[in-house]
Amino acid sequence: MSELLQALAETLEQRKSAAPESSYVASLYAKGLNKILEKVGEEATEVILAAKDAETSGAKDAVTQEMADLWFHCMICLAHLNLSPDDVLKVLAERQGLSGLVEKASRTPSN
């Protein structure tokens, strides 16, 4: 995992024991998975809107800003579920070099 992802994952893990009033991340953990997922959905929508705007305006900075927010909230979701970015990177590594159509067809219903 990149050093940045590792450092962020460690910070997110530490926030699990922080007081909710002292940390945005701790406050999300305290509100539970539904609130975390709500934020992931909100950020995904903002990525979509920024990308649509960027296609017509050429302003791509908003896309990277919103994508950073989405990744951040996805990492909070992973940490909440006791998963790490490494778990996702392992899946991506397993898919490397495979046709997306072949990989998706090979999944079992639980995948």
Side-chain angles (χ1 to χ4, degrees):
M1 177 178 358
S2 81
E3 290 179 28
L4 177 59
L5 287 178
Q6 180 64 40
L8 181 53
E10 289 171 7
T11 298
L12 294 176
E13 192 63 32
Q14 292 168 358
R15 294 297 189 269
K16 286 182 176 181
S17 60
E21 59 276 1
S22 70
S23 161
Y24 170 72
V25 173
S27 74
L28 283 179
Y29 288 140
K31 292 173 185 170
L33 183 60
N34 284 344
K35 184 62 175 179
I36 294 166
L37 296 176
E38 180 183 312
K39 289 300 296 179
V40 170
E42 177 185 314
E43 297 303 339
T45 299
E46 290 176 7
V47 168
I48 292 165
L49 295 174
K52 289 185 72 61
D53 288 346
E55 186 175 48
T56 57
S57 71
K60 296 180 181 177
D61 184 57
V63 176
T64 56
Q65 294 293 324
E66 296 300 342
M67 190 68 72
D69 290 346
L70 175 59
W71 287 13
F72 179 77
H73 287 87
C74 286
M75 287 185 64
I76 294 170
C77 180
L78 288 172
H80 179 80
L81 297 171
N82 296 314
L83 295 167
S84 76
D86 266 342
D87 296 316
V88 177
L89 293 174
K90 286 176 190 171
V91 171
L92 290 173
E94 291 168 1
R95 293 179 182 178
Q96 182 69 26
L98 295 177
S99 157
L101 297 173
V102 171
E103 186 280 323
K104 187 162 183 146
S106 71
R107 294 185 199 177
T108 60
S110 64
N111 291 343

